[in-house]
Amino acid sequence: MKILQIIPSISLVYGGPSQMVRGLSAALAKLGVDVTVLTTNVNGDSGQAPLDVPLDQPVNENGYQVRYFPCSPFRRYKFSLDLLTWLKTHASEYDLAHIHALFSPISSAAATVARSQKLPYILRPLGTLDPADLNKKKQLKKLYAAILERPNIAGASAIHFTSHEEARISERFGVKTNDLIIPLGVTLPQLTQTPQAILSHLKIKPNVPIILFLSRIEPKKGLDILIPALEKVLASGLDFQFILAGSNPQDPEYETKIKQQIQQSSLAPKTIIPGFVTGENKTALLTIADLFVLPSYYENFGIAVAEAMAVGTPVVISKGIYIWEDVEEAEAGWVGNGTIDEISILIATALTNPQECQRRGLNAQNYALNHYRWDAIAQQMIQAYQRIRR
C-alpha cells in the first residue's frame, strides 16, 4: 500500500502536528506501508531561514521518504506550486492521501488536486474545525470554508479526529462525514545520561518541586490563566520552580510579552525559561518535572500532555484539552474547568500531596503505554486505509 502524508511543514518548531506526521509515518513504515511525506521547507514564519534540505527529491527518514518543496509564491502561508504540480503528476501512483491541517492553502489545494485526480483522501483538521478556532478571523474563514473547505470535506473519504470530544464539537458546514477517531502516539528519545546531567546548564535546584509548561507559547494555551494561578500558589507559601519551555515562530511578539510578564511578576526568581526544546532535553524536562501543567482553552489532543504521561509525570490540565476524559478516567492527574482559582487549587493540591502525585504519575504512564503507542495506532490507521482503498 502506497500512502501520501501531506502537511504544510514538518519542522519541529511547529510542535505537535509535525511530530505526529513523523511518528505516524515511521510506525506505518515499520508495518510495511510505503509512505511518502509531501511538505515544504518552511522553518518558521518570522524571517527564519528555511530548512537546509534537498528540494524535490526523496529524503529517507526512519523508513519513509520525505519530499520537501520550496514555498512559492506565498512563503508566509506555506504555499508551494511545485508541491501541487508534483501531486497532480504522481497522484495515480498512490492508494490514498492523508492531508493534515485545514484552512491552510497548501492542504486545501492538495485536497482539491487529489479530488480532481480521483485519489481518495483523509482530512485531519488539527483543531481547525473547533468553533473557538473558527471564531478567529470569522468572516474570512466563513468565505474560505464556502469556497474551499466545504467541498474538500464533502469529497473526503474520512475525517480523522484524534479524540471523541474533537469529533463531537467540530463544525462540518452541513456535510455528513465519515469520522475516524484515532489518537496520536508518543515517541520520546531515550536518555543517554541522567536528566540532571542533561539539564545541568539550567541550574535547576535540587529538592524543590518542578512545575513544567512545555508547549507552544500562544494565547490558546492558557498562560493568562497559568501565570496568575502560579502567583496565587506562591503567595500561599508553597515553594516550587517553574519551567516555561517552548517558543512561537509564528508570533514572537506574544512570546516576548509572556516572558516580560513573568520577569515583572513574583514568579521571576522561581522561573527558568529554556526556550524551544527537543530531543533529550525535552525528554529530560518531562522526566524531571514533578507536575506538568497545561490549562489550554482548546486543544484537539494535547500531545505534550500525552508525552508527560508517558514518562510518568502527573498532569494538571483544563477541560479544553480534549483528552481530559482519559486523564480523569486513568486518575493520571487533575482536571479543572480552567479558571485561575481552580487551576491554582489543583496545583497546590498536587504540591502538598507528593505520594498522590507519584500514584497518579504511575497511572499516567500505564495509561499512555496502553493507549498512545504508535505501533497500535498505526495498525488502526492501516485498517482505516484498507477500508477506504476498497
Side-chain angles (χ1 to χ4, degrees):
M1 183 161 48
K2 295 185 69 175
I3 302 294
L4 288 171
Q5 304 286 340
I6 304 174
I7 186 169
S9 173
I10 56 168
S11 168
L12 291 177
V13 302
Y14 294 108
S18 301
Q19 290 174 239
M20 181 274 175
V21 169
R22 290 173 180 271
L24 175 62
S25 297
L28 290 170
K30 281 183 183 177
L31 295 175
V33 179
D34 185 339
V35 179
T36 297
V37 178
L38 302 185
T39 189
T40 71
N41 64 341
V42 168
N43 191 35
D45 301 327
S46 300
Q48 297 92 334
L51 294 170
D52 183 15
V53 290
L55 298 177
D56 195 8
Q57 57 183 282
V59 177
N60 293 317
E61 295 188 19
N62 294 320
Y64 60 94
Q65 288 190 343
V66 182
R67 278 187 177 267
Y68 296 93
F69 294 88
C71 280
S72 174
F74 309 116
R75 180 175 180 271
R76 173 65 180 84
Y77 298 102
K78 308 180 190 73
F79 189 81
S80 174
L81 283 173
D82 289 353
L83 187 156
L84 297 173
T85 300
W86 189 95
L87 176 60
K88 184 175 182 180
T89 302
H90 296 275
S92 62
E93 301 168 19
Y94 292 85
D95 296 300
L96 185 143
H98 198 155
I99 301 172
H100 306 264
L102 275 68
F103 294 95
S104 177
I106 192 64
S107 299
S108 303
T112 303
V113 171
R115 201 161 61 252
S116 74
Q117 300 302 303
K118 296 183 170 47
L119 174 67
Y121 62 90
I122 295 170
L123 294 176
R124 185 168 77 98
L126 279 70
T128 56
L129 298 180
D130 190 307
D133 204 73
L134 289 171
N135 276 330
K136 299 176 185 175
K137 303 178 181 177
K138 186 174 182 178
Q139 295 307 315
L140 180 61
K141 284 187 177 179
K142 188 179 289 187
L143 180 62
Y144 191 112
I147 297 171
L148 291 171
E149 296 303 27
R150 189 183 187 283
N152 285 339
I153 291 170
S157 299
I159 310 296
H160 174 198
F161 298 108
T162 53
S163 65
H164 288 277
E165 182 69 3
E166 182 192 12
R168 187 186 69 79
I169 58 91
S170 287
E171 175 63 61
R172 274 79 159 182
F173 308 111
V175 175
K176 183 173 175 56
T177 58
N178 173 29
D179 297 344
L180 303 174
I181 301 174
I182 301 176
L184 304 184
V186 173
T187 305
L188 289 168
Q190 296 296 310
L191 298 181
T192 57
Q193 304 176 67
T194 65
Q196 291 81 1
I198 292 168
L199 302 172
S200 60
H201 62 288
L202 295 181
K203 305 291 191 290
I204 297 171
K205 295 177 183 176
N207 304 318
V208 179
I210 298 167
I211 298 172
L212 175 65
F213 172 98
L214 193 159
S215 193
R216 184 191 292 264
I217 298 176
E218 62 179 332
K220 82 171 193 175
K221 301 295 182 177
L223 283 162
D224 60 328
I225 297 167
L226 180 57
I227 292 171
L230 288 173
E231 290 171 339
K232 285 176 71 90
V233 174
L234 192 60
S236 75
L238 290 172
D239 194 18
F240 59 85
Q241 300 169 88
F242 175 47
I243 300 179
L244 177 79
S247 64
N248 190 336
Q250 292 173 299
D251 190 357
E253 289 182 8
Y254 181 78
E255 182 183 344
T256 300
K257 175 188 167 186
I258 289 296
K259 290 177 180 177
Q260 289 173 343
Q261 182 180 348
I262 291 172
Q263 288 165 2
Q264 294 164 7
S265 83
S266 57
L267 294 175
K270 304 290 184 181
T271 302
I272 298 168
I273 304 178
F276 176 73
V277 293
T278 189
E280 280 194 294
N281 283 305
K282 178 179 179 179
T283 306
L285 278 176
L286 290 165
T287 303
I288 206 171
D290 295 282
L291 193 65
F292 179 91
V293 185
L294 190 62
S296 296
Y297 288 99
Y298 61 97
E299 197 95 40
N300 63 295
F301 184 78
I303 190 65
V305 177
E307 289 173 334
M309 291 169 64
V311 299
T313 299
V315 301
V316 169
I317 61 171
S318 65
K319 289 185 178 179
I321 293 172
Y322 294 157
I323 59 168
W324 69 266
E325 290 175 304
D326 295 354
V327 173
E328 199 164 71
E329 174 195 333
E331 294 188 354
W334 290 264
V335 178
N337 289 317
T339 65
I340 292 170
D341 286 345
E342 189 174 19
I343 294 298
S344 68
I345 290 168
L346 294 178
I347 292 171
T349 300
L351 291 179
T352 52
N353 293 275
Q355 287 186 325
E356 183 63 10
C357 248
Q358 186 176 31
R359 184 184 77 83
R360 296 194 186 208
L362 288 172
N363 290 345
Q365 190 167 41
N366 289 332
Y367 190 92
L369 290 174
N370 287 325
H371 294 85
Y372 304 145
R373 286 180 15 246
W374 269 126
D375 56 349
I377 290 165
Q379 290 277 13
Q380 288 181 262
M381 198 64 73
I382 288 170
Q383 291 169 9
Y385 290 164
Q386 288 171 337
R387 289 195 300 270
I388 290 167
R389 189 176 62 164
R390 293 194 194 108

